[in-house]
Amino acid sequence: MTVLMMTRLSTTELPQPALRSSEPSQLAVEILERLKYRIGKDPKVAKPHDWLTAAILVARDRITDKWMDSTRKTYSTGAKRVYYMSLEFLIGRMMRDAMTNLGLMDEMRDALASLGVDIDVVAALEPDAALGNGGLGRLAACFMESMATVDVPAYGYGIRYMHGLFRQQMADGWQVELPETWLAHGNPWEFERRESSYEIGFGGSVETVNIDEEVQRYVWKPAERVIATAFDTPAVGWRATRVNTLRLWAAQPIDPILLDAFNAGDHIGALRESNKAESLTRVLYPADATPAGQELRLRQEYFFSSASLQDILRRHLQQYPDFTSLPDAVAIQLNDTHPAVSVAELVRLLTDVHGLNFEQAWDISRRTFSYTNHTLLPEALESWPVPLFERLLPRHMQIVYAINAKILIEARRERHATDEAIRNISLIDETGDRRVRMGNLAFVGSHSINGVSALHTELMKETVFADLHGLYPDRINNKTNGITPRRWLMQCNPGLFGLIREAIGDEFMDNTEALQALDAFADKADFQEHFAAVKRANKVRLAKLVQANLGIRIDPSAMFDIQIKRIHEYKRQLLNLIEAVALYDQIRSHPELDWVPRVKLFAGKAAPSYHNAKLIIKLANDIARVINNDPAVRGLLKVVFVPNYNVSLAEVMVPAADLSEQISTAGMEASGTGNMKFALNGALTIGTLDGANVEMRDWVGEENIKIFGMTAEEVGKARAEGHNPRAVIENSRELSQALDAIASGVFSPDDRNRFSGLVDGLYNHDWFMVAADFEAYAKAQREIDQLWTTPSAWYSKAVRNTARMGWFSSDRTIRQYAGEIWRAG
């Protein structure tokens, strides 16, 4: 039965699957059946990975029933579909997530136990899908789960990376990048859709065809073509309300092997087309410091954008006669600038392939797209050299110029824009070599542009998109990020989840804002005692992981002070490390004082070509080696860098945190979601008024969060007026001594000058205000120490953080997107 035929039948007319029992005994029977017939193993010789796959297949079959029900429902009701386009989906391990949302976790645990299998052992064997880097990809994963939870029909579109982001190891404290082999043994969650394959072109030329005396059509004749093939993974919502689809594209050559070359003895050259195609989907964020790297990234972005849009248009025509209804039936969300080339591609498909004129195509496209901005950093807004863009996508370059002409003429004639405003609005940056501005393209090509926190949204209007906002004052809106409480409370912190259920009941499981009822328990001694016991158990688990993997012993009784995020100078891991050195000096100088035992834990990856970020990782490991082995410290301070940060590691570190480090330079973090995860799990936050920290302060109360340092406005003013970091450093005894120790080689005796460049940067410009904020940060840390010495006060605040974080659910965020941008669900 074709999908088109399905639209003519009501759901009740379709054959319905037999109800599957979820009794452990029945699940055990099904596990053995999958083990035998799908994997080909007898239970006597089955290995843990075989049991894992068998259990996943049992769950997947149940998910598939609900998945098909969801698809039928969407077709039968004609509901508007949302398409979420993202270069990253950091979904992590899926087994616990899927089984929890199915309501199957306890039964599956019992079923496997009856077969002599420990579910925790086999679940730990599931690899993390290497489909993302950090907050952008994790947000996309949370959104996919929440769209299914709140019953929004949706597809996520991305790339099926063979290796994705690198696996991080340490060699003498330096980051080493190794390929992540998550697909080495296949992925039992996915389904290949060979029928959903599309040709993607690159290069070539554009020809003009005269349809009649007035109408011309443009025909792009690419020089290269590859095939994009879909692989679908089900995305299960809470209580399996809906199952949506994560569709990832794999690249294949049209000719997998050049037989003439192979038979002529060129065995490697015969595979060049295969290698060229597969390079598109091998690695997430290939280094773009070289022209070849830039070209590969642009190829990746166009590859997945074109495949996704061809798929969307094909599906639309199955239900509707033409594309005039596209904006009413379809909402496409661009997650950051990576898929921004979709704006030009949709116009191309509608005009060149489907015969609409430019004005029709532009109107339909703009009303269909919306764009989420995630950064105020100009370099992160992406731009491509015009020669590269034109060589690789010649027809799209024509369309970009056509769009640009339309926008600039409107700005000049109707809005009387100044020359400076025209320069800022233009899709072509002409300040140096001409470049295509992808952020501007996404902006003008969308009916809605949203920031991801209240502060970030206002700064967008004032900085990177100030002139575009002046031209289109109604387009920018705010949608503060959120996190899924299923992954970041129920699954990663079952002890706290159980304690909350016992205290306030189950309503918060379906309405996270019902956590507010926990406020009543914040000052109750017995509840604080149980809350502290849960926290300690989580810290013991993390301590065991650190001991096993790094050989470092850390005391669960100490304060666990954790900073986990992508390594970047604006996130200011360096500020944290300098404060650690200053604290180290104070502990040694004043052994008579009652120092609070503290473990500073770091995790995160640096981009392979980001020298200073990699140097900061090395500094963290060098500082750790010295401090952790100095008997004068008496174990009162330890520093640990935990390698290969991913979702699974976060699920151990987040519940164990006492203190959450959210210390980015004010005005530079769009939102952050790690801050929300930590607070939901009962950590106190030390942070700047940046990103969603501002709204978190408003929700949890100023007395329950430690805010320090310059505001975004003060940072901007200091930069404009000429910040003098040298004077700041010389006036701070602790800061200057810490920097002297780092710069002189105290922590790098094998290379005395290793960190001199980092320190010189602070003396000479301090763009990220590390020196400027040091004194305020150090003072705030000592106030945190003081609070720690009164456990009842500490846990009162910790409980209130958990109780007041319900608003930061991604369910709330998605409902806002659906109601205010997509008009869906």
Side-chain angles (χ1 to χ4, degrees), residues 486-494 538 541 651 654-655 681:
R486 273 73 62 180
R487 170 79 72 163
W488 296 108
L489 179 60
M490 295 181 191
Q491 295 164 42
C492 78
N493 201 343
N538 292 330
R541 179 171 65 146
E651 288 171 337
V654 166
N681 283 272

Side-chain angles (χ1 to χ4, degrees), residues 153-463:
Y155 273 71
Y157 279 117
I159 292 178
R160 183 179 180 265
Y161 302 104
M162 284 180 273
H163 301 298
L165 196 68
F166 59 86
R167 177 164 48 92
Q168 182 192 56
Q169 286 189 357
M170 294 296 132
D172 191 30
W174 290 99
Q175 171 179 290
V176 175
E177 300 97 27
L178 299 173
E180 183 61 80
T181 56
W182 75 286
L183 282 174
H185 303 292
N187 177 9
W189 291 107
E190 69 183 8
F191 295 83
E192 182 179 2
R193 307 299 194 195
R194 284 181 290 177
E195 70 281 5
S196 295
S197 295
Y198 304 95
E199 282 196 5
I200 313 297
F202 299 100
S205 60
V206 181
E207 295 183 0
T208 304
V209 176
N210 294 316
I211 304 301
D212 54 39
E213 291 183 359
E214 296 183 357
V215 178
Q216 291 182 327
R217 292 282 181 246
Y218 299 92
V219 179
W220 178 26
K221 295 189 174 181
E224 307 170 44
R225 294 180 186 271
V226 298
I227 302 295
T229 299
F231 286 78
D232 287 356
T233 299
V236 188
W238 172 236
R239 300 195 191 280
T241 300
R242 167 177 286 277
V243 179
N244 284 326
T245 302
L246 174 60
R247 175 160 286 187
L248 303 175
W249 299 105
Q252 298 172 347
I254 291 178
D255 296 314
I257 184 170
L258 304 177
L259 281 175
D260 289 349
F262 191 89
N263 291 331
D266 186 5
H267 303 144
I268 295 175
L271 298 175
R272 66 176 178 269
E273 293 301 313
S274 290
N275 291 332
K276 196 168 186 178
E278 290 176 1
S279 69
L280 284 170
T281 58
R282 284 193 182 277
V283 174
L284 168 65
Y285 298 142
D288 60 355
T290 64
Q294 290 181 23
E295 179 173 330
L296 179 55
R297 286 185 66 162
L298 180 55
R299 282 176 178 265
Q300 284 185 326
E301 293 178 6
Y302 176 67
F303 167 79
F304 104 92
S305 296
S306 179
S308 303
L309 290 172
Q310 291 183 63
D311 198 48
I312 291 167
L313 296 186
R314 183 268 307 166
R315 188 175 298 108
H316 183 77
L317 285 181
Q318 287 182 334
Q319 280 188 281
Y320 302 94
D322 56 45
F323 293 113
T324 58
S325 59
L326 190 70
D328 299 317
V330 165
I332 304 175
Q333 189 73 34
L334 305 176
N335 190 31
D336 214 7
T337 56
H338 308 122
V341 70
S342 297
V343 172
E345 173 66 357
L346 183 55
V347 171
R348 183 191 74 84
L349 291 171
L350 292 176
T351 55
D352 298 1
V353 178
H354 295 285
L356 278 69
N357 64 46
F358 177 80
E359 292 298 331
Q360 291 173 314
W362 176 243
D363 177 66
I364 289 170
S365 176
R366 186 187 55 77
R367 291 192 292 125
T368 302
F369 282 117
S370 48
Y371 159 53
T372 301
N373 173 271
H374 286 276
T375 182
L376 300 176
L377 297 174
E379 66 270 21
L381 284 173
E382 283 198 315
S383 64
W384 300 109
V386 165
L388 168 63
F389 199 97
E390 193 160 27
R391 174 171 56 81
L392 207 61
L393 302 170
R395 176 61 180 132
H396 300 77
M397 191 72 255
Q398 293 178 342
I399 292 170
V400 167
Y401 277 125
I403 295 170
N404 202 39
K406 180 179 180 61
I407 299 302
L408 295 186
I409 290 170
E410 177 187 348
R412 182 73 82 181
R413 291 181 180 174
E414 298 181 19
R415 307 297 178 94
H416 308 292
T418 65
D419 289 345
E420 182 181 0
I422 289 290
R423 282 194 296 272
N424 293 332
I425 290 167
S426 177
L427 305 187
I428 309 299
D429 182 0
E430 299 194 59
T431 54
D433 294 336
R434 285 188 173 90
R435 301 179 71 90
V436 182
R437 292 168 162 158
M438 303 310 285
N440 285 24
L441 178 61
F443 192 111
V444 301
S446 299
H447 69 276
S448 167
I449 295 87
N450 71 278
V452 289
S453 72
L455 175 63
H456 169 238
T457 299
E458 291 308 306
L459 290 173
M460 280 171 57
K461 297 175 183 178
E462 298 168 8
T463 57

Side-chain angles (χ1 to χ4, degrees), residues 541-552 554 601 640 642:
R541 179 171 65 146
L542 176 56
K544 289 179 178 178
L545 182 149
V546 169
Q547 172 76 43
N549 292 348
L550 301 175
I552 300 172
I554 56 178
L601 294 122
V640 180
V642 187

Side-chain angles (χ1 to χ4, degrees), residues 85-132:
M85 296 180 65
S86 179
L87 206 59
E88 298 185 42
F89 287 94
L90 196 57
I91 56 179
R93 293 170 177 161
M94 292 184 59
M95 179 175 171
R96 289 185 187 277
D97 191 53
M99 291 182 183
T100 297
N101 284 2
L102 281 173
L104 202 63
M105 194 66 200
D106 291 339
E107 291 79 1
M108 186 63 76
R109 182 184 297 277
D110 292 343
L112 286 169
S114 72
L115 299 171
V117 178
D118 185 337
I119 193 171
D120 294 327
V121 172
V122 299
L125 297 176
E126 183 180 10
D128 275 50
L131 300 172

Side-chain angles (χ1 to χ4, degrees), residues 10-31:
S10 71
T11 303
T12 55
E13 292 176 298
L14 293 166
Q16 299 298 305
L19 292 176
R20 301 176 189 268
S21 170
S22 295
E23 290 295 321
S25 58
Q26 176 60 30
L27 290 173
V29 170
E30 293 183 38
I31 290 169

Side-chain angles (χ1 to χ4, degrees), residues 590-607:
H590 296 283
E592 77 284 1
L593 299 179
D594 292 327
W595 296 102
V596 168
R598 185 187 289 245
V599 181
K600 282 182 173 281
L601 294 122
F602 298 82
K605 296 177 180 178

